[in-house]
Amino acid sequence: MRFHVVDHPLIAHKLTALRDENTPSHIFRQLTSELVTLLGYEATRDLPVEDVEINTPVAATTGARLAAPRPLVVPILRAGLGMLEGMMTMTPTAEVGFLGMQRNDETLDIITYAERLPGDLAGRHCFVLDPMLATGGTLVEAIRFLHERKVRRVTCICLVAAPEGLKKVDEAYHQMDIDLFVAALDDRLTEQAYISPGLGDAGDRLYGTAE
């Protein structure tokens, strides 16, 4: 597994505003989308392309276009949905699938309650979207789910990560072709398994249900 903290002034600026408890939901959603676009730019840097012959208004030339099969973007419900628009800004021709996963707050076990993915994932490059890498259980389960369906490569995009979650994912998949892109690696997990300093419950803040 390869881990990338994307170091950029715009990412740092937007993440600071995202963390602020006074940021309202509509601004939180906008900032999330903008951050994912910036992270997605780095995460898609080595997508395969193929030559294509075109005519400009001036002359014939050889350009490049994304090679088949198309990338597959997989937001993890529900909070991952808030990242989808930003990722699709970068990859508008990508296909979209969904995974519904939920953490049991008492046992911290991950439950997969829904999936909507193409029937054949063999050879695909999947981009998994999940705002928070906290305990790591959700991401480990999502990667396992996709690899069982013979994907070629998995790239994960998170806004913030905790060292505990990063360690768990790396221990599970350190020898596999997986990339993880984040805006920040935070200090730790709290006893309630929240990332500190973090940004709170991303799903609640995205959809206006935070207390």
Side-chain angles (χ1 to χ4, degrees), residues 44-179:
T44 56
R45 182 177 292 276
D46 60 351
L47 282 177
V49 296
E50 59 187 9
D51 291 341
V52 57
E53 301 299 322
I54 63 168
N55 293 301
T56 77
V58 178
T61 188
T62 302
R65 65 182 174 195
L66 292 181
R70 291 181 293 166
L72 177 65
V73 178
V74 183
I76 297 179
L77 304 178
R78 68 176 168 145
L81 284 176
M83 304 172 69
L84 181 58
E85 181 179 356
M87 189 64 188
M88 295 306 289
T89 298
M90 287 303 307
T91 57
T93 61
E95 196 170 357
V96 179
F98 299 93
L99 278 176
M101 294 183 168
Q102 188 172 20
R103 185 180 69 189
N104 184 305
D105 290 334
E106 294 184 359
T107 66
L108 302 184
D109 291 336
I110 303 301
I111 301 168
T112 302
Y113 63 86
E115 67 96 353
R116 185 70 173 179
L117 297 167
D120 183 8
L121 296 183
R124 302 292 294 271
H125 187 169
C126 296
F127 291 84
V128 177
L129 309 181
D130 196 15
M132 317 290 287
L133 174 55
T135 66
T138 299
L139 213 53
V140 166
E141 178 65 15
I143 293 169
R144 181 197 64 78
F145 193 95
L146 293 170
H147 271 283
E148 285 182 350
R149 285 151 181 80
K150 310 300 182 185
V151 302
R152 176 179 60 85
R153 185 174 176 184
V154 175
T155 297
C156 305
I157 299 176
C158 303
L159 300 180
V160 295
E164 296 89 339
L166 175 61
K167 181 181 179 181
K168 181 166 185 170
V169 177
D170 186 53
E171 287 177 346
Y173 300 116
H174 67 281
Q175 293 183 328
M176 298 182 71
D177 190 13
I178 295 167
D179 287 277

